[in-house]
Amino acid sequence: MSSLKDRLAEKIGPMRERVNLLRTVHGEKVISECTISQAIGGMRDVKCMVSDISALDPMEGIKFRGYSIPEIREKLPRIPGGKEPLPEALLWLLMTGDVPTSEETSSITAELHRRSTLPEHVKNVLDAFPLDAHPMTMFIAGITAMQTQSQFAVQYHDGMRKEEYWVPAFEDTLTILAQLPEVAARIYRRKYKNSEYIAADTSLDWAGNFAHMIGLDNPNLKMLMRLYLVIHSDHEAGNVSAHATHLVGSALSDPYLSLAAGIAGLAGPLHGLANQEVLRWITDLQAKMGVEVPTEKQLEDALWDTLKSGQVIPGFGHAVLRQTDPRYMAQREFAQRNLPEDPLFKLVSMLFEIAPRVLTEHGKTKNPWPNVDAHSGCLLVHYGMTEYDYYTVLFGVSRAIGVLSNYVWSRALGYALERPKSVTTDWLLAKAQG
Ligand code: AMX
């Protein structure tokens, strides 16, 4: 059996030839234009980034190395008797493009456990935060503190050839992924559970051990955690967390610093923080109505109140998707199978019915359908994680898998420093009038 690193090394040569061909022979071919509204409006659909890790179709949703979410759930290795794919297997797939065997997947689990010892100073940094600090603030600081272990930074300093960049980037990636669950679990236990930490159980898989360290040992929650950490991992390269990681990495900032930048982007309410906002919106509504499940009329009125006050309905809409997010549907299917009678699931299902209609009538959003963040909170609450301001940390642990796989490949293929051209509004007006 070859290791993930060996397999990756085999793939890099042919990919370098492909990128070289694209650059040297087809480099002048125009693939995208940019209008004034695109320049002002967040560069929607301007094709100017490259990633082979995942691709997002507006109607079909995300495909990881060509596999849809249902295919991923069916094809990737699981624990014996398990119903959901292992994130370790997804890492292998994202890195190499190949579905790993169970043996290859287990080799990643073992490697991650081997590298999991968190340096003491990282714990001290986390312990120094006041308890009212947001979990994402602690998480970003934890990742930055971990940076003292970066092999990429050391080897770059010592003088490393460009073709070798991917090697320490790969090593850093594995170390980060190995230690992130403990950083994240520590934040949870410190902030909400009186700093009563739980030691790792290395007989478990990566996600199972993460759930165990958080202190939610229900087997179904472990199963949910595997699914959760798979589906949130990547969403092609242009979303804020992936793009920020890539942008910072293009300056050859090491994987730790680049990931910290991406996670800071994930902490925005229009991006990953939407999962906490959904639960906050629902909890506020329940408190205001004094009921667990409001009537359809109450729910519809609450949606209109939110829209009329100029706020967004969290968990609905998307910059690219024009259909219900398959990541939402995967979680809905999980809920239908495991918690069909849960009152919060019933409320989330009512939102699924009513919110798209209200948003369509409101007439602004290009996509009235729910995204991944509309569902995750109700599953987590069911298994005992009610502290919704923590949810984006879980998203961040998962997102690290995708953005760091991209980081490794960007270094392997020598992708350049990002430096798009900005223009002034004077220039735009002159262009428009000329
Ligand atoms: N509620 C109310 N208004 C919405 C809306 C929503 N859920 N989604 C979009 N709109 C509005 C936009 O604010 C915009 O209004 P404006 O013209 O006054 O600025 C208009 O509809 C057009 O927006 P769009 O082109 O459909 O979407 P976008 O690409 O600009 O933004 C997104 C995409 C996700 C930021 C937006 O749909 C939104 O704010 N959704 C709620 C927050 C959310 O769920 N974010 C998570 C997304 C998934 C993720 O990254 N994890």
Side-chain angles (χ1 to χ4, degrees), residues 136 139 180 259 263 266 391-400:
M136 286 300 275
F139 194 45
L180 270 193
L259 177 65
I263 297 299
L266 194 71
Y391 294 169
T392 316
V393 174
L394 300 179
F395 196 153
V397 173
S398 173
R399 187 48 56 104

Side-chain angles (χ1 to χ4, degrees), residues 232-293:
H232 288 79
S233 60
D234 209 33
H235 219 222
E236 77 173 31
N239 67 77
V240 172
S241 51
H243 191 182
T245 307
H246 177 74
L247 168 66
V248 174
S250 82
L252 300 185
S253 301
D254 63 61
Y256 294 84
L257 299 180
S258 304
L259 177 65
I263 297 299
L266 194 71
L270 295 189
H271 190 22
L273 206 78
N275 57 8
Q276 95 164 34
E277 293 302 292
V278 169
L279 245 282
R280 189 163 67 89
W281 190 89
I282 288 176
T283 311
D284 287 353
L285 175 72
Q286 287 171 323
K288 205 161 86 188
M289 301 290 165
V291 289
E292 221 173 4
V293 184

Side-chain angles (χ1 to χ4, degrees), residues 41-42 44 232 235 239-241 265-266 268-275 277-278 303 306-307 310-322 325 327 359 362-374 395 399:
R44 295 292 182 283
H232 288 79
H235 219 222
N239 67 77
V240 172
S241 51
L266 194 71
L270 295 189
H271 190 22
L273 206 78
N275 57 8
E277 293 302 292
V278 169
L303 289 165
T306 302
L307 291 170
Q311 297 164 60
V312 296
I313 307 292
F316 286 77
H318 199 273
V320 179
L321 286 169
R322 294 295 175 258
D325 191 338
R327 302 172 299 174
L359 280 166
H362 183 242
K364 265 192 172 183
T365 174
K366 294 190 187 70
N367 173 44
W369 305 108
N371 60 59
V372 66
D373 296 317
F395 196 153
R399 187 48 56 104

Side-chain angles (χ1 to χ4, degrees), residues 117-131:
T117 308
L118 195 61
E120 280 304 310
H121 76 269
V122 180
K123 299 178 188 173
N124 294 336
V125 166
L126 296 175
D127 290 351
F129 273 95
L131 284 178

